[in-house]
Structures are given as structure tokens and as C-alpha cells.
Amino acid sequence: HTPAAPRDHQILTVFGAHPGSTRLYDDAGTGFGYQHGAYTWTEVRHTTNATGQVLTIGPAVGSFPGELRQRSWTVVFRDVARPTSVTVAGSRIEWSYDSAARTLTMRTSELSMSRPASVVLAT
């Protein structure tokens, strides 16, 4: 079951340090506007480099009546080493790390759906 409207909070899970991507689809949840292009896609891309991992949440592309302007995210990184810092859109945030499960969990504040935001795990 999915709700009749877009959720203002989403949970993303990233597995390991392998690059990957996905897209999140949103529409009004009712009616047939989606058949005529009334929806959005939000691309999510995970990359790694010598200094850590980057999860980029892209801007929502498209539009529909009632679309969200902001959304918060909980991001769970599984099978990762404890980072030295975690930033979202360039600002340090609080996070928790379970060393036994090698899992990092963090939650963003509300982020604009009109511009990209990056979650950076520095090693």
C-alpha cells in the first residue's frame, strides 16, 4: 500500500561502497494526471572516491499539483567503516554508528526539492 500523496520523509538504504543509482517517482496519488506527465522523478546517485562516499539526491524533475517543495531523509549506510565526519549540503550533521553491524544512520532536515543535496561520508 502506498499513501495517496507524496511522503515528506523518505528512507534510503545504501549497501556497501559500490557506486549505484536509482530514481524516486512521485505523483499526486489520485486521478490520472500521471498519464499526461503530471509527476516528478528524483535521481539518487551513490559514488565513492579516495576521501569517502557521496550520496547525491538530485532535484525533483517534473511537476504535478500538490508536489512537495521540501523533504527530509533518513539515510542508512550498511557495511561501511566509521567515518570521520558526515555532512549534508556542506554542513556537519549528527549521526549514529553501530560498529557491530557496520551501519551508519543519519537524518537530514528538510531539503529543497528544487536543487541537489549531497550527503558526504569522509573517511
Side-chain angles (χ1 to χ4, degrees), residues 86-93 106-109 111 117-120:
V86 179
T87 60
V88 175
S91 298
R92 286 183 180 244
I93 64 161
M106 47 78 54
R107 182 176 175 143
T108 73
S109 59
L111 300 173
S118 294
V119 177
V120 178

Side-chain angles (χ1 to χ4, degrees), residues 70-102:
Q70 296 182 316
R71 175 179 275 150
S72 62
W73 303 82
T74 294
V75 184
V76 179
F77 290 88
R78 297 199 180 272
D79 194 25
V80 295
R82 181 183 196 92
T84 57
S85 70
V86 179
T87 60
V88 175
S91 298
R92 286 183 180 244
I93 64 161
E94 292 188 27
W95 47 276
S96 63
Y97 184 75
D98 180 336
S99 57
R102 292 180 41 88

Side-chain angles (χ1 to χ4, degrees), residues 13-77:
T13 303
V14 178
F15 293 91
H18 304 287
S21 65
T22 191
R23 293 189 313 161
L24 175 66
Y25 171 89
D26 282 309
D27 66 23
T30 59
F32 297 98
Y34 69 94
Q35 293 177 340
H36 307 287
Y39 54 82
T40 62
W41 286 104
T42 302
E43 184 174 8
V44 179
R45 183 170 304 280
H46 178 247
T47 59
T48 60
N49 57 41
T51 60
Q53 299 185 39
V54 179
L55 181 73
T56 303
I57 302 168
V61 176
S63 66
F64 61 91
E67 68 185 274
L68 296 174
R69 300 288 180 223
Q70 296 182 316
R71 175 179 275 150
S72 62
W73 303 82
T74 294
V75 184
V76 179
F77 290 88

